[in-house]
């Protein structure tokens, strides 16, 4: 075997993930786990608050591609039908998007009773995600991100051609490198409909919103057991990749701005979500109120804990922050379920 047995096994797993081979070879136990996973989608994602919370996905997009460009995209989306039609033609929005995003669910093939149950659950999931507004909010976020990324390409190419705004030039080159894009081709095309430009836009959406592809997730997350154990963790893992590559790694090279922007959007999203939760459910924050922040001798500590709660509650900083936030909520009795239990298991325990 030339000493490459371990490497060959890994490559076989990557192949299985890339072509969905393991999804076509499920035993009865694995099929049951997939049914529980899809049931978790129906019960945990189809609430109105989740649809609203999903809109915070605009935060990482704005932090990565520019707040001003995001505002410009939102203005363009006043004619949402036209904007959605454009991004659908770019390959950003697909009919099965919500099912894909709900935890990279799969549809079983066959005529057995588990397969039939899966087909009924698939229909129920599609209906529930759309009826609750989750599908619409996800498409809205992805459309916003696509238009924002397109603006960055246009402005960046213009800066390179004119030789002005070195910071913008470097930003386009940096992000292109992270996403496997040839920035020189972007300059040659200089077109919003160019092949490399559209590839940049699609990869940009996958980068900050998740594409649930085998090359964005650890191989173990693409296995039937991995899907069950890390159902909603797949999104967190992908956002964690964004924070690592575009935030932390750049900060270690002296460029702190991307990381600070990512932290700022998470804090802002957390503030917004806590306010909405309180308004809808009457459930107050677990820390100091705005008034209490400026009273007493613990102002610095109260502010720090408020920021920590905001950042971990927002769900836009990746898997480590998410798990830390959920564990903290359990400790402070903000959440009664064990956050480390698989979602599919939580619905029956």
């Amino acid at each position: 075997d030339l000493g490459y047995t371990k490497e060959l096994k890994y490559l076989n797993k990557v192949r299985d993930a890339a072509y969905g081979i393991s999804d076509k070879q499920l035993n009865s136990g694995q099929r049951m786990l997939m049914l529980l996973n899809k049931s978790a989608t129906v019960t945990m994602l189809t609430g109105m608050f989740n649809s609203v919370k999903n809109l915070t996905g605009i935060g990482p997009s704005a932090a990565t591609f520019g707040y001003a460009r995001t505002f410009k995209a939102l203005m363009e989306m006043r004619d949402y039908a036209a904007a959605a039609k454009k991004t659908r033609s770019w390959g950003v929005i697909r009919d099965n998007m919500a099912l894909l995003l709900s935890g990279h669910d799969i549809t079983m093939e066959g005529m057995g009773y588990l397969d039939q149950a899966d087909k009924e659950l698939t229909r129920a999931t599609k209906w529930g995600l759309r009826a609750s507004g989750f599908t619409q909010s996800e498409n809205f976020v992805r459309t916003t991100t696509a238009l924002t990324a397109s603006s960055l390409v246009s402005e960046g190419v213009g800066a390179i051609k004119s030789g002005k705004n070195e910071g913008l030039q470097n930003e386009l080159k940096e992000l292109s490198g992270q996403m496997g894009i040839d920035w020189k081709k972007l300059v040659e095309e200089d077109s919003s409909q160019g092949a490399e430009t559209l590839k940049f836009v699609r990869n940009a959406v996958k980068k900050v919103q998740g594409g649930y592809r085998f090359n964005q997730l650890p191989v173990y997350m693409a296995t039937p057991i991995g899907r069950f154990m890390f159902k909603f963790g797949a999104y967190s893992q992908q956002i964690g990749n964004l924070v690592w590559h575009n935030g932390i790694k750049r900060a270690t090279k002296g460029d702190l701005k991307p990381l600070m922007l990512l932290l700022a959007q998470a804090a802002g999203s957390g503030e917004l979500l806590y306010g909405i939760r309180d308004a809808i459910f009457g459930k107050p924050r677990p820390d100091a109120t705005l008034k209490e922040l400026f009273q007493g001798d613990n102002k610095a500590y109260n502010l720090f804990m408020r920021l920590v709660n905001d950042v971990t509650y927002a769900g836009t900083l990746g898997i480590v922050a998410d798990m830390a936030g959920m564990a903290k909520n359990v400790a402070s009795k903000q959440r009664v379920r064990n956050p480390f239990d698989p979602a599919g298991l939580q619905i029956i325990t």
Side-chain angles (χ1 to χ4, degrees):
D1 60 15
L2 301 179
Y4 294 113
T5 301
K6 184 178 180 181
E7 289 79 4
L8 286 173
K9 287 183 178 179
Y10 178 78
L11 287 174
N12 284 333
K13 290 179 180 179
V14 172
R15 179 204 62 188
D16 290 351
Y19 293 100
I21 293 175
S22 58
D23 297 338
K24 297 183 171 100
Q25 300 173 345
L26 301 178
N27 59 40
S28 296
Q30 291 170 335
R31 286 168 180 256
M32 184 60 70
L33 293 182
M34 293 302 100
L35 286 177
L36 289 174
N37 244 19
K38 200 162 289 187
S39 299
T41 298
V42 176
T43 58
M44 296 182 179
L45 280 189
T46 54
M48 292 294 291
F49 183 69
N50 283 326
S51 301
V52 174
K53 187 175 183 180
N54 198 44
L55 292 174
T56 59
I58 293 175
S61 172
T64 304
F65 304 119
Y67 285 89
R69 296 183 193 97
T70 299
F71 181 76
K72 177 183 175 183
L74 291 171
M75 290 299 98
E76 182 178 345
M77 288 168 62
R78 286 178 295 180
D79 184 355
Y80 182 69
K85 182 179 180 180
K86 178 191 294 186
T87 54
R88 187 177 289 274
S89 72
W90 292 349
V92 172
I93 302 299
R94 301 203 302 272
D95 291 334
N96 66 338
M97 187 63 68
L99 275 178
L100 172 70
L101 301 171
S102 64
H104 52 300
D105 290 336
I106 62 172
T107 300
M108 299 180 200
E109 299 177 358
M111 298 302 293
Y113 69 94
L114 290 179
D115 305 284
Q116 295 305 310
D118 175 74
K119 289 179 176 63
E120 293 302 319
L121 266 177
T122 296
R123 281 193 282 269
T125 302
K126 286 182 177 179
W127 179 87
L129 291 174
R130 182 166 291 278
S132 65
F134 188 91
T135 298
Q136 293 88 330
S137 69
E138 184 61 43
N139 289 345
F140 184 89
V141 169
R142 289 183 172 249
T143 296
T144 306
T145 301
L147 295 175
T148 305
S150 180
S151 291
L152 173 64
V153 174
S154 178
E155 294 175 23
V157 167
I160 292 173
K161 284 195 165 186
S162 66
K164 299 177 181 179
N165 199 337
E166 185 178 353
L168 179 55
Q169 294 182 46
N170 292 335
E171 188 68 15
L172 179 61
K173 293 175 183 178
E174 169 69 28
L175 289 171
S176 295
Q178 290 182 24
M179 297 187 293
I181 303 296
D182 186 344
W183 65 267
K184 293 181 181 178
K185 287 185 179 180
L186 296 176
V187 176
E188 291 172 4
E189 289 178 351
D190 194 12
S191 168
S192 62
Q193 299 299 316
E196 197 72 5
T197 298
L198 292 181
K199 180 181 177 183
F200 181 101
V201 171
R202 287 191 293 269
N203 286 3
V205 174
K206 292 174 185 176
K207 180 179 181 64
V208 300
Q209 303 303 336
Y212 298 83
R213 294 287 293 148
F214 69 95
N215 58 349
Q216 285 186 288
L217 296 169
V219 171
Y220 62 82
M221 277 193 176
T223 65
I225 296 298
R227 282 195 172 96
F228 180 75
M229 295 298 297
F230 303 99
K231 177 175 176 57
F232 297 123
Y235 172 77
S236 296
Q237 176 67 40
Q238 291 168 105
I239 294 299
N241 292 340
L242 169 68
V243 173
W244 172 252
H245 290 290
N246 202 52
I248 297 173
K249 288 184 73 173
R250 294 180 69 174
T252 62
K253 299 176 183 177
D255 186 3
L256 294 173
K257 182 180 176 180
L259 180 60
M260 293 299 101
L261 289 174
L262 284 167
L263 290 172
Q265 63 81 23
S269 295
E271 283 285 329
L272 179 63
L273 288 173
Y274 270 125
I276 294 173
R277 189 184 75 168
D278 189 17
I280 296 177
F281 302 112
K283 192 173 183 180
R285 296 178 58 103
D287 48 36
T289 64
L290 286 173
K291 183 178 180 180
E292 293 168 342
L293 282 178
F294 303 99
Q295 297 177 348
D297 300 325
N298 297 318
K299 298 184 184 69
Y301 174 78
N302 287 340
L303 178 60
F304 174 74
M305 287 308 301
R306 187 181 179 98
L307 288 174
V308 168
N309 286 328
D310 284 338
V311 166
T312 55
Y313 187 55
T316 55
L317 273 186
I319 193 166
V320 175
D322 285 355
M323 297 302 278
M326 288 191 290
K328 176 180 62 62
N329 287 343
V330 170
S332 61
K333 299 182 180 179
Q334 286 286 304
R335 185 183 176 97
V336 296
R337 290 187 180 275
N338 183 349
F340 301 101
D341 279 346
L345 185 61
Q346 289 185 23
I347 64 174
I348 59 174
T349 57

